[in-house]
Amino acid sequence: MREAAAEVLAIGDELTHGFAIDTNSAHIARELEQLGFVMRAFTVVSDEPHAVCDAIRNACSRAEVVIATGGLGPTEDDRTRAAAAAAAGVELRFDADSWDRIARWFAGRGVQPPERNRVQAYLPESAEVLRNDWGTAPGFAMRIDGALLFSLPGVPREMKNMLSELVLPRLRAEFGDLGTTAFHELRLLGMAEAELGQGIAHLMPSDRNPNVGITAHSGLLTVRIAARAATIDDARALAERDAAEVRAQAGAHLLYEGSERIEERAGKLLIEKGMTLALAESCTGGMVAAELAGVPGISAVLLAGYVTYADMAKVRDLEVPASLLVAHGAVSVEVAASMAVGAARRTGARLGVAVTGIAGPSGGTPEKPVGTVCFGWCLDGHAESWRLRLPDLGRRFVRERSTIEVCAAILRRL
Amino acid sequence: MREAAAEVLAIGDELTHGFAIDTNSAHIARELEQLGFVMRAFTVVSDEPHAVCDAIRNACSRAEVVIATGGLGPTEDDRTRAAAAAAAGVELRFDADSWDRIARWFAGRGVQPPERNRVQAYLPESAEVLRNDWGTAPGFAMRIDGALLFSLPGVPREMKNMLSELVLPRLRAEFGDLGTTAFHELRLLGMAEAELGQGIAHLMPSDRNPNVGITAHSGLLTVRIAARAATIDDARALAERDAAEVRAQAGAHLLYEGSERIEERAGKLLIEKGMTLALAESCTGGMVAAELAGVPGISAVLLAGYVTYADMAKVRDLEVPASLLVAHGAVSVEVAASMAVGAARRTGARLGVAVTGIAGPSGGTPEKPVGTVCFGWCLDGHAESWRLRLPDLGRRFVRERSTIEVCAAILRRL
């Protein structure tokens, strides 16, 4: 199993100005690592022609395969074609076939092909055209300094399609012996990152295979394992050995394993179990419903959601007794339970779940500081509730952490 | 006004494996450009020690200032300290003050300082310590190859605080004469990117100042202008000249100007006008409510939100006549209007807004394909409704574009 390095290059002023975030490179990295390539670096570079040319040259001098995204559009700031030609020391040539395809793309939409899109058909002399069936900009492949450079559009949908349809099959044919990388993710809630890190420190040296790391997002810890081996079975077995150690450390804090987001996982479980659900949300303001609604098929079980900031809405829509609100306040375990019961009863759902809390920045008191969130749970008529005191790491954190708490409850309790 | 280049370096296996997305670099880029630095490239590199060392060396050879984030934690895969020392050709030294601060940080939390955190106090010999008052990992600053390298933690909150409190003041003192960059953003809805690009092509050459570009997200176009000049007033005037041309091209498609997200803008307008609102959402599933709920203070006007996928929920919670559902179907302008009226009437809100559509992947028909979305609007008892036929670019696109449509309606109609 030989080692081949790949690099990714994202091109665009919108990235270096910080107007947009590069998400293409992460997608490409995952795909290439599964083909067995080793990823050591991404580069993000502005549209400035010399900077693009240098970045292409440098990446091609370090890696066997370089995938560049962006800079293939019809506008003045799309310079990848010329920069790649300069890096290879060749001229641009007009590719009549590509111009034909661009013209037909426009014609198919009843539009005269704009003359300015013609620049998209000028490609480096030595390049092989990569047909773009999902947009106007053709990509191209060429050798520079012994490396194989692929240039793809920056539009994620076009990039992803061209990568999987054109680039990956080509790499598979040309680099057959690289082995593969298996990925495994374990998700934990309720454990401190430092504690977990201490427990699995021996798995985490950066030059070890598998490569193991921890990331934290809104309180949810993810242990990620990337294992390289000659075959996918070997890679998976290698990853599984480390996963077993992580499980032992995580104990009851382990929520689930896999690459799905927690909201997706919770939504799929509800659908699988046919568990009808009604949501009552105050501080999360519909975030739980919106996240679950991202899962195709959820409409079969998510009967209704109520965003009830106002006390009046809690009384009217969820039949929370006004006396309860007066006695305990809207942010209380008592009101949370009552909201969950009300949502389930109103809709006939088997499960009612409620969130009421103080997301900040204002609204906190000494007894109920910002970050106090109460959760209600009513399954088949049996109501429970609990409270979290989250650190005040901002409104967004409190709302996201609360949404995770609801999804975790679904995963743990159903 | 002299030109000084800066680069950003994000370090971490979680980034090169595609497990996490680098958002630190964009934040740092914006801050440095406002100080007048020119950003040409970011690098993302794995924790592999040689790769980190090479990346530091290369960045320092190209730029006058390099800001590195990540790799300062206490775990085995945190290698930035050693890599920076190797890049500078110096050894690590134990910094007793930093260890003291780390120990006190733990003691303040009632915890014995773990022995393994001691590695965080080993810094390159020639480095100056950057105190971290927001976490355990100290940062450092040092010269490598004539460039000034700052190494900061990867945790966004710690990074941002150290950048603004320690790094930016230091850069301001040392590079006083760089001028500044003013940013301006214009947001358009309903215009094709290619059409806009044709209209403002003359503003978009990549070596022009201001630098002008277009990005598209879920149908919302953003024209971003970055103007460099000696003073902020000059930079703003330069940006404004281009903004005027964009406005002329955009015409009625211009929604608003500024760096705020559209949901934030819409939420603030509702709060400012004291416009009470009730939402009725089907295919967006609470996304409109959740996005608006991200705006502090929204609870004063967002009276309630109803997530009503099921027909029964539309009838029960929004008093949509069952006959209307039978006659026109749930995805119809008639039902959308009725949902908006029902939400406003039930809550007493001045404004009721409804969304009902087919987000896919299933549920489409020849007459109502995936992407058909109907919107209802009821202001002070006057109901209207309209329909969009969105391209089927996936469930997420349809839901996000629909959420943007509601926000755009709020901005345009109020």
Side-chain angles (χ1 to χ4, degrees), chain A residues 15 38 70-71 99 157-158 172 187 203 215 219 223-224 261 268 276-278 347 361 367 377 380 383:
Chain A
L15 301 171
V38 175
W99 175 236
R157 206 176 61 96
E158 298 176 24
R172 226 174 263 124
R187 317 281 182 160
L203 306 179
T215 50
V223 180
R224 46 189 173 67
R261 298 178 63 226
K268 284 185 181 168
T276 51
L277 171 71
T347 59
E367 308 84 62
W377 177 272
D380 295 330

Side-chain angles (χ1 to χ4, degrees), chain B residues 130-408:
Chain B
L130 298 175
R131 266 175 50 173
N132 180 352
D133 290 331
W134 304 269
T136 59
F140 58 87
M142 65 193 292
R143 291 205 177 267
I144 295 182
D145 203 6
L148 193 51
L149 168 76
F150 294 89
S151 170
L152 304 177
V155 181
R157 206 177 61 96
E158 298 176 27
M159 179 280 291
K160 285 179 187 174
N161 279 313
M162 290 174 74
L163 184 74
S164 64
E165 301 283 316
L166 303 173
V167 179
L168 298 181
R170 166 97 183 250
L171 290 176
R172 225 174 264 125
E174 219 166 295
F175 296 81
D177 55 341
L178 299 179
T180 187
T181 301
F183 295 98
H184 191 77
E185 290 167 73
L186 300 96
R187 317 281 182 160
L188 290 73
L189 189 67
M191 194 169 191
E193 182 175 358
E195 188 192 345
L196 177 64
Q198 197 141 10
I200 61 171
H202 60 293
L203 306 179
M204 291 171 71
S206 76
D207 37 11
R208 180 175 172 275
N209 179 30
N211 186 278
V212 177
I214 305 173
T215 50
H217 185 70
S218 296
L220 189 69
L221 298 184
T222 300
V223 180
R224 46 190 174 66
I225 302 171
R228 289 196 73 222
T231 68
I232 186 65
D233 287 345
D234 288 354
R236 283 191 187 133
L238 208 56
E240 174 52 31
R241 206 158 18 158
D242 281 9
E245 292 209 44
V246 176
R247 271 176 223 125
Q249 286 292 331
H253 298 298
L254 181 67
L255 257 186
Y256 68 98
E257 304 183 28
S259 61
E260 293 164 305
R261 297 179 64 227
I262 185 170
E263 294 85 357
E264 206 180 335
R265 188 82 171 201
K268 284 186 181 169
L269 182 68
L270 292 166
I271 295 168
E272 189 188 302
K273 297 213 168 232
M275 176 62 67
T276 51
L277 171 70
L279 293 165
E281 301 184 60
S282 186
C283 66
T284 45
M287 192 184 271
V288 179
E291 289 288 349
L292 291 177
V295 182
I298 197 74
S299 53
V301 293
L302 180 54
L303 298 191
Y306 299 91
V307 178
T308 56
Y309 270 128
D311 281 0
M312 210 163 72
K314 295 184 182 82
V315 173
R316 179 191 57 228
D317 294 331
L318 303 170
E319 293 175 35
V320 175
S323 59
L324 209 64
L325 286 159
V326 172
H328 303 283
V331 178
S332 62
V333 286
E334 291 82 0
V335 167
S338 175
M339 288 168 70
V341 171
R345 195 156 44 195
R346 182 170 179 90
T347 58
R350 280 188 60 194
L351 178 62
V353 182
V355 190
T356 175
I358 301 158
S362 62
T365 65
E367 308 84 61
K368 294 178 183 175
V370 170
T372 306
V373 187
C374 298
F375 297 85
W377 178 272
C378 176
L379 179 59
D380 295 329
H382 302 285
E384 294 170 81
S385 57
W386 66 98
R387 189 180 64 184
L388 291 184
R389 287 214 191 266
L390 301 173
D392 178 11
L393 298 176
R395 185 176 178 88
R396 190 192 177 95
F397 170 83
V398 173
R399 299 173 70 231
E400 289 182 352
R401 176 65 181 81
S402 299
T403 299
I404 287 173
E405 182 74 11
V406 170
C407 294

